[in-house]
Amino acid sequence: MKQIYLSILSAIMLACSINLHAQDIMLHDIKAKKQKVSIGIKGGFNSAMMFTDKLSYGEQEITDIQNNYKVGYIATVFTRINLKKQHFIQPEISYAISQGSISMSNLRENATILEDNALIKTKMSSLEIPVLYGYKFIDSYPYGMSFFLGPKIAWTIKKQSSSEYSGFYQKNITENIRPLNYSAVLGIGVNISNIFFDFRYEIGCNNITQSVSYDKELTAEPYNEKELTLKRRKNILSFSVGAIF
């Protein structure tokens, strides 16, 4: 009889425990639904792809251009404004360091333009403000998954940004990067409780190079007679981890 009582008591305690756990989940769901504004932080890595539309000396275009990817870093704070149902708006502010390079072989087609195999290495630091619209197509505590997209504006920090040119006939080449650049962002976010993982791709919408100049007095003739032109866009693939409160 004692064993029967203990079995019944154990069953009651287990049922109570399951009920309390279910109530806890419901409370979390209710709290999440009532919370209109959330604040979050995140940090991660990025890979910048410098897609070159045009690189030329005068009318002569350089061919066989290859993109080389390097790892950069990003830190972000953001606010999520929950709208009706599973929609949200998420403005962000980020500090980002992106790095990349483009290389060119000194082939027969490029021999009259390039002195050697050429390389342009670029490092850009920027303050970035994306404004994203998102939709949570999985929203069942503690799990969630959302899709988001939106525009981004980036202000280049000039003192922390630079480009290094090598392999060209032109000497002391200087590139001026545009102070403001624009891109379109799309990605997916996955969260477990208040921890989330963010995967996104950014498509550059403008030429990041404002102008290219070089020292014509130090450059031997006839390589000091025409202008260097560079048109390229910066696309970025990034991954970050963060928390939302």
Side-chain angles (χ1 to χ4, degrees):
M1 184 68 68
K2 184 177 181 180
Q3 290 181 348
I4 295 174
Y5 285 144
L6 289 174
S7 298
I8 294 172
L9 181 60
S10 298
I12 293 171
M13 292 180 65
L14 179 61
C16 290
S17 176
I18 293 173
N19 185 51
L20 287 172
H21 181 66
Q23 289 180 0
D24 185 57
I25 291 177
M26 290 176 64
L27 287 172
H28 275 92
D29 281 337
I30 292 170
K31 182 180 178 181
K33 289 178 180 179
K34 287 184 177 179
Q35 191 170 351
K36 295 296 183 182
V37 179
S38 302
I39 297 174
I41 57 172
K42 65 175 183 173
F45 305 93
N46 63 45
S47 178
M49 292 155 273
M50 304 290 182
F51 289 110
T52 305
D53 297 317
K54 181 180 180 181
L55 177 56
S56 63
Y57 172 66
E59 299 300 322
Q60 296 177 287
E61 287 200 28
I62 298 174
T63 61
D64 192 39
I65 299 174
Q66 179 179 345
N67 292 305
N68 305 303
Y69 314 131
K70 289 187 177 182
V71 175
Y73 310 93
I74 185 168
T76 302
V77 294
F78 64 88
T79 298
R80 177 172 292 183
I81 304 168
N82 294 302
L83 306 176
K84 290 182 179 181
K85 297 184 178 180
Q86 294 165 293
H87 304 268
F88 63 88
I89 298 294
Q90 184 168 300
E92 303 178 353
I93 182 166
S94 303
Y95 173 74
I97 298 174
S98 55
Q99 304 178 87
S101 65
I102 54 177
S103 57
M104 297 133 281
S105 300
N106 187 22
L107 302 174
R108 183 177 61 183
E109 295 84 355
N110 296 332
T112 57
I113 311 173
L114 301 178
E115 185 176 24
D116 199 350
N117 292 334
L119 182 68
I120 302 175
K121 296 192 295 184
T122 301
K123 177 181 179 181
M124 295 178 64
S125 297
S126 57
L127 291 177
E128 304 176 346
I129 302 178
V131 179
L132 307 174
Y133 158 77
Y135 177 76
K136 294 177 277 189
F137 52 89
I138 296 178
D139 189 19
S140 179
Y141 187 88
Y143 306 108
M145 181 176 288
S146 60
F147 168 80
F148 53 84
L149 54 83
K152 186 186 80 171
I153 183 171
W155 175 66
T156 304
I157 303 175
K158 188 174 181 180
K159 292 183 178 180
Q160 299 179 18
S161 304
S162 62
S163 291
E164 181 182 335
Y165 286 66
S166 61
F168 291 81
Y169 284 109
Q170 291 74 27
K171 305 302 179 184
N172 296 339
I173 299 175
T174 302
E175 178 184 354
N176 292 318
I177 298 173
R178 292 187 185 278
L180 292 177
N181 293 292
Y182 309 92
S183 59
V185 180
L186 62 143
I188 291 178
V190 178
N191 70 277
I192 302 173
S193 188
N194 67 326
I195 305 299
F196 71 91
F197 305 90
D198 186 304
F199 308 86
R200 63 178 63 184
Y201 187 68
E202 302 174 16
I203 304 169
C205 298
N206 68 295
N207 176 23
I208 66 171
T209 301
Q210 189 169 35
S211 63
V212 179
S213 60
Y214 62 94
D215 193 326
K216 293 187 176 182
E217 293 184 359
L218 293 179
T219 302
E221 297 181 353
Y223 306 107
N224 60 354
E225 299 172 354
K226 301 177 183 179
E227 300 299 325
L228 278 172
T229 302
L230 176 59
K231 294 181 180 181
R232 57 177 172 165
R233 296 166 288 109
K234 184 179 68 171
N235 290 13
I236 296 177
L237 179 67
S238 64
F239 166 75
S240 58
V241 180
I244 187 167
F245 308 98

